[in-house]
Structures are given as C-alpha cells and as structure tokens.
Amino acid sequence: MTNTLGITSLTRVPVSGSVPALVTPMNIDGTLDIATLHAMVDWHIEEGTSALVVMGSTGESATLDSSEHCQMVREVVEHAAGRLPVIAGTGANSTREALELTRYAKDVGADAVLSVTPYYNRPTQEGLYQHYRKIAENVEIPLIVYNVPGRTGVDLADDTVLRLAEIPGIAGLKDATGDIARGTKLLHMLPNNFSVYSGDDETAAALMLLGAKGNISVTANVIPGLMRKLCDAARNGDVPLVRLISRKVYLLNQALFVQSNPIPVKWALARMGRMTGTLRLPLTPLGSEWESVLVRALALAGVELPAQ
C-alpha cells in the first residue's frame, strides 16, 4: 500500500493540526468493536480532523495483545482509505518488539509511527538513543518519538532529542511533559523541518502558538471539530480565537484526566452515545463522584448529551 502522505524522503512528516489519539471501542464482553471503530474514523474525517493516532496509550495498547494491536492498526488504515493520514503507535519496552510493530505498520500502509520511550525498564539516555536509532535505521517509515515521563518513568532528555533529530527517518517529537519553557527551548534548538507535537491538551494551544505543528490529543476524541478549530487558530496565530475556544475547553481538558486515561474519555463517549465505554482490567469504570464533573465540562464545551 502507498501511504497517504506520499513521502519519498523519510526525514519529516507533514502533519499538522488536531490529531486525536484514538480510543479503542469495545463490545460489552471486552472484544474489539470494529463497526464502532469504523464509525469513529468516519466521524473524525467529517469533523475535519487532520490525522489519527491508533494504538497510543489512549487506545489502551497496554491491554491489547499483539494480534489485536495489529488488527486495530490495519482496520484504521484500511477504513481511512487515504482520506486522512494514520499514525500507528508502535512503542514497546523491548526494541525487538518495537521493531516488529513498526515493520507491521509500514507493511499495512500507515503513514508514520509514534514510538513511546521504553517503559518500566528505565533505559539510560544512550539506551534511548540506540533504541530509536535501531528502529529508524531498519524500517523506512517516518518515526515520531514520544516523551511522556509521567506514564513511562523515563524522561527523554533534550540533548537526546537533539541527537535523534540528526537521524534520517526520525521525523518529530510528541512532547507530553506539559512544560512550556522546555518545549520553547526545544522549538528554538531543533531543525526547522523537525516536527514538534504537543501531547498535553492543557498546554497544547500555547505550544502551537510558539511553533509546534499540532496536538496529539485526548480531548479531540470527544470534540473533534472544536479542537480542530482551536489548533487551526493557534497555528495561524489567532490569539483572540484561541482565548475564546480555550475558555470552552479548559474544564474538559482537566476533567478527562480526573482518573487514569482513558477511563474518563471512554465514559464521555459512552454518555454521548458513541460507544459502550467498556474497559479492560486493570482499568475500571469512572467513579460516580466524577460523573457530574464530566457532564459540566461537556456542556461548557458545547456538547449536547442525549437524555437518559
């Protein structure tokens, strides 16, 4: 399959704007709900979403087995059918496994991959560098490195990011630290053709105003159209519109993390009537004490909920 982006040079990924980190719909019995997955892809395309990430942490990649992981990537790529780019999550705490997932993503036609830092085993900075270098040098697909120390227990240092940016095939960085000062420093130091994406909804607009290419988002699962408008405004430097939209979404950005992601976002989508909200253990349903918080946040963002 030829990828959507038509990239012949592997060095960069021309994706910008709102990029939802897609949730994984499940049936009541916990199996994958492919029909709903297809419907969600269609909805995001209708709402103007720029690209989709499949099998990130929001997609519960940690609770899916390898065959389900591959099925999710394949289904999204095939159903999107070139209508928007698809970025496959292929991170693992084993370099060998990350390589296998990355090869699979390329083979089925993903446009790029998103590779989280190896978690739990806490490699050194040199280990992180060699991990990503090994992947980039063995699979010809643009690779976005993903730094989210709050979930992985390891922080990809700025100096390591700068070293990685010199490797052909390493296309960009998803920065989920939420540290605007640090992000600003990286934006000034990295090559202009190296893409930086926010991975933190609360600070994404600020980072885009400073030069980030887009937002790989949890919130965009719920309000894709509004998040697209926010990202477009930030990318275009329209500060008054950024302020206006930010007032509508700030509470939702917070509410979607009152418990571990993706517990709240799946509850919100279920309350909206878009999916069942089923999770796999060890994730458990949203605590009832948080339901009113989510309802209020959805209302502020302009979401009309069906009657119960």
Side-chain angles (χ1 to χ4, degrees):
M1 297 177 67
T2 301
N3 68 30
T4 306
L5 301 174
I7 295 171
T8 54
S9 170
L10 295 177
T11 53
R12 304 297 170 234
V13 180
V15 168
S16 61
S18 179
V19 184
L22 199 63
V23 300
T24 296
M26 295 177 183
N27 297 304
I28 295 295
D29 64 0
T31 57
L32 302 182
D33 183 352
I34 300 303
T36 296
L37 176 68
H38 291 170
M40 292 187 69
V41 171
D42 292 337
W43 180 45
H44 281 290
I45 292 169
E46 292 165 5
E47 292 291 314
T49 286
S50 300
L52 288 171
V53 166
V54 57
M55 284 291 92
S57 50
T58 307
E60 294 174 81
S61 55
T63 69
L64 272 62
D65 64 32
S66 59
S67 63
E68 290 173 320
H69 185 122
C70 291
Q71 182 183 1
M72 284 290 295
V73 172
R74 184 180 68 253
E75 290 286 351
V76 173
V77 169
E78 291 182 353
H79 191 73
R83 292 178 291 168
L84 84 175
V86 176
I87 302 169
T90 60
N93 60 353
S94 159
T95 304
R96 179 179 295 182
E97 182 182 358
L99 265 169
E100 291 174 356
L101 290 171
T102 302
R103 286 194 183 103
Y104 181 84
K106 172 184 166 56
D107 289 345
V108 298
D111 298 287
V113 296
L114 177 68
S115 187
V116 70
T117 53
Y119 39 86
Y120 186 75
N121 48 20
R122 302 181 70 182
T124 64
Q125 292 302 309
E126 183 61 23
L128 292 169
Y129 175 80
Q130 294 296 340
H131 170 81
Y132 284 123
R133 179 178 176 179
K134 181 81 169 180
I135 298 168
E137 290 181 348
N138 283 275
V139 188
E140 294 184 349
I141 189 169
L143 187 154
I144 302 167
V145 300
Y146 176 15
N147 189 30
V148 57
R151 291 191 77 115
T152 62
V154 62
D155 188 6
L156 190 66
D158 295 353
D159 288 345
T160 307
V161 175
L162 295 173
R163 290 178 69 198
L164 291 170
E166 298 174 357
I167 299 173
I170 296 186
L173 166 72
K174 177 183 175 182
D175 176 6
T177 65
D179 186 336
I180 290 295
R182 182 176 176 183
T184 303
K185 175 185 173 184
L186 277 170
L187 284 166
H188 282 290
M189 296 180 70
L190 286 163
N192 289 334
N193 60 352
F194 187 86
S195 299
V196 174
Y197 301 92
S198 173
D200 177 68
D201 281 307
E202 287 198 77
T203 58
L207 198 64
M208 283 184 286
L209 284 167
L210 291 165
K213 290 291 183 82
N215 178 26
I216 298 177
S217 170
V218 175
T219 305
N221 277 284
V222 178
I223 47 170
L226 192 57
M227 289 301 288
R228 175 188 57 80
K229 291 177 183 177
L230 176 60
C231 290
D232 288 349
R235 294 267 297 135
N236 294 329
D238 189 342
V239 175
L241 185 54
V242 168
R243 288 174 177 165
L244 179 65
I245 298 174
S246 293
R247 291 190 186 103
K248 295 181 178 180
V249 303
Y250 84 93
L251 190 59
L252 187 57
N253 287 337
Q254 295 173 2
L256 291 177
F257 291 90
V258 293
Q259 291 187 320
S260 298
N261 179 43
I263 293 172
V265 69
K266 277 196 142 180
W267 184 92
L269 286 165
R271 183 65 181 82
M272 293 164 65
R274 293 200 169 270
M275 55 188 295
T276 66
T278 302
L279 299 149
R280 286 185 181 176
L281 288 171
L283 297 179
T284 53
L286 183 75
S288 59
E289 69 273 20
W290 297 113
E291 292 181 3
S292 61
V293 175
L294 264 295
V295 169
R296 178 169 171 253
L298 289 165
L300 181 62
V303 177
E304 296 183 6
L305 297 175
Q308 287 188 314

